[in-house]
Amino acid sequence: MDEIPLYYAFSLSLFLCCAMAHDFSILGYSPDHLTSMDKMVELFESWISKHDKTYKGIEEKLHRLEVFRDNLKHIDKKNKEISSYWLGLNELADLTHQEFKKQYLGLKPELPRKMQTDYGDFTYRDVNHFPKSVDWRKKGAVTLVKNQGACGSCWAFSTVAAIEGINHIVTGNLTSLSEQELVDCDREFNNGCNGGLMDYAFEYIISNGGLHREIDYPYLMDEGTCQEQKEDLQVVTITGYHDVPANDEASLLKALAHQPLSVAIEASGRDFQFYSGGIFDGPCGTNLDHGVAAVGYGSSKNSDYIIVKNSWGQMWGERGFIRMKRNTGKPEGLCGINKMASYPTKTK
């Protein structure tokens, strides 16, 4: 990485008071930003204002500019190489790749998944016909994308999204539920901001008699003290959960045609960090490290995809969602999405 000129320390202080407005393209930058340090500084300040960023001092801000510029070089390079999807500047653009992986993931696949002898077999095993496309957002079963922040609580967001979906399907009510309750209270196997698994979260909600609404137990982006359940507060219950047969995309689609699912993926790639739109087709492996929710599937221009709800805010990806390529020919699916899917059950 080239050194940043020393004069930037002075010019940066001027921008602290008067960040310039900027009319970004879909990618959030232009070629001028990569060739001119003044334009780079201007872009950085506009980005800071857009994402409401604050830094402790000039040294930290200089460091974040270096990281920002390095990330922008990666984004520009990859956008010249790929065509099915594109990358852009987002809230994560001042984080190194290592910082991003440490702060924004949180799945713990090394935890043993509990065998579900109490909950029966795969519900949708005998389904033979299902629609060519499904979008649970259009059916009113998906809440707005939330933001886990720098807390490895993705497992809680994945769990909640699946329960919000089945609750709407069964009751007709779309109720935003509390990830914070899981972060604070589900501690037998899961570990708050330090990661967990969706199946254990389902177990906790069943044994606890339900999950509170988000309005009653709001998210903190940090670990808090578990608040005991209050009888006068509404909870949403589930009756059980099931695992989708691993490495079986047909089974995944059978289940997804009937309800949103909790799924796990490898999301630690640098392209995933800056995904902005299109049908994502890699690069990524199958070492699961992030919990998300599958909320539909479809096709576009002869390319099949799964619609995935992430938990990195609405300014990441396609308003917080990503379309991930399916029918890759690999049993585990792109980024391992077919390896560890599950879903809650609920009766009226």
Side-chain angles (χ1 to χ4, degrees):
M1 184 186 299
D2 298 333
E3 278 193 26
I4 297 175
L6 293 177
Y7 73 79
Y8 174 67
F10 172 75
S11 62
L12 179 60
S13 65
L14 298 178
F15 278 97
L16 289 172
C17 300
C18 53
M20 299 179 65
H22 207 83
D23 182 19
F24 291 142
S25 69
I26 191 171
L27 302 178
Y29 68 94
S30 70
D32 289 346
H33 296 121
L34 292 160
T35 57
S36 166
M37 179 53 64
D38 287 338
K39 291 291 185 181
M40 179 67 70
V41 171
E42 180 181 321
L43 177 64
F44 184 52
E45 286 299 335
S46 297
W47 177 87
I48 287 173
S49 178
K50 179 180 180 180
H51 295 281
D52 196 26
K53 295 278 184 170
T54 58
Y55 301 111
K56 294 179 181 179
I58 191 68
E59 289 187 5
E60 182 186 0
K61 202 161 191 179
L62 283 167
H63 170 63
R64 292 301 159 191
L65 173 67
E66 292 185 34
V67 174
F68 180 86
R69 184 166 64 148
D70 184 61
N71 285 332
L72 183 59
K73 288 180 178 179
H74 171 79
I75 290 168
D76 184 63
K77 178 177 183 293
K78 291 306 296 282
N79 281 336
K80 293 174 180 176
E81 298 172 353
I82 57 182
S83 58
S84 57
Y85 66 96
W86 57 92
L87 310 182
L89 295 168
N90 57 31
E91 184 182 10
L92 310 177
D94 64 344
L95 297 178
T96 68
H97 189 50
Q98 289 302 315
E99 289 171 331
F100 155 72
K101 291 192 291 184
K102 182 178 180 181
Q103 295 177 25
Y104 281 86
L105 305 176
L107 188 78
K108 295 294 182 183
E110 67 272 13
L111 292 174
R113 298 180 81 191
K114 187 171 181 177
M115 297 302 293
Q116 301 157 52
T117 55
D118 294 335
Y119 301 107
D121 295 326
F122 176 50
T123 314
Y124 305 111
R125 188 178 307 279
D126 297 327
V127 171
N128 295 315
H129 302 286
F130 46 90
K132 290 184 178 180
S133 65
V134 169
D135 189 339
W136 287 106
R137 297 173 298 184
K138 295 179 180 179
K139 295 176 180 289
V142 182
T143 60
L144 294 176
V145 170
K146 306 174 187 181
N147 194 340
Q148 69 185 71
C151 167
S153 55
C154 60
W155 58 273
F157 285 82
S158 173
T159 302
V160 164
I163 295 176
E164 290 170 344
I166 193 61
N167 184 60
H168 174 270
I169 291 168
V170 173
T171 69
N173 298 319
L174 182 62
T175 304
S176 183
L177 299 175
S178 175
E179 294 84 9
Q180 191 67 43
E181 182 175 3
L182 292 175
V183 170
D184 293 349
C185 305
D186 180 14
R187 289 294 185 154
E188 183 176 0
F189 297 103
N190 290 327
N191 195 20
C193 287
N194 293 306
L197 276 182
M198 289 77 82
D199 280 6
Y200 284 120
F202 291 139
E203 290 275 0
Y204 167 81
I205 293 165
I206 294 165
S207 64
N208 193 53
L211 189 66
H212 284 90
R213 298 178 302 173
E214 186 166 30
I215 192 172
D216 295 323
Y217 204 144
Y219 189 62
L220 302 175
M221 295 190 180
D222 203 352
E223 295 176 4
T225 302
C226 181
Q227 300 176 28
E228 295 297 329
Q229 182 170 321
K230 298 179 180 180
E231 293 183 0
D232 58 334
L233 293 179
Q234 178 183 337
V235 296
V236 168
T237 61
I238 57 175
T239 53
Y241 73 96
H242 299 282
D243 288 340
V244 176
N247 302 323
D248 184 347
E249 186 165 282
S251 291
L252 184 83
L253 295 180
K254 287 179 181 181
L256 187 52
H258 290 84
Q259 65 183 99
L261 311 176
S262 289
V263 295
I265 58 175
E266 181 182 297
S268 55
R270 204 173 182 188
D271 280 13
F272 210 94
Q273 180 179 353
F274 298 113
Y275 167 81
S276 186
I279 299 176
F280 184 78
D281 58 6
C284 59
T286 59
N287 295 317
L288 307 178
D289 53 27
H290 190 46
V292 290
V295 297
Y297 60 87
S299 303
S300 177
K301 298 179 180 178
N302 297 317
S303 185
D304 300 328
Y305 59 82
I306 295 174
I307 306 167
V308 172
K309 181 184 183 183
N310 202 354
S311 52
W312 297 342
Q314 297 176 38
M315 300 184 77
W316 179 89
E318 296 179 333
R319 296 185 178 181
F321 296 87
I322 179 173
R323 287 177 292 161
M324 297 182 63
K325 185 176 178 61
R326 61 182 173 90
N327 284 336
T328 62
K330 298 179 179 179
E332 64 272 21
L334 183 69
C335 304
I337 195 169
N338 298 336
K339 292 180 69 175
M340 191 186 285
S342 56
Y343 58 94
T345 58
K346 182 179 179 69
T347 56
K348 292 184 179 179

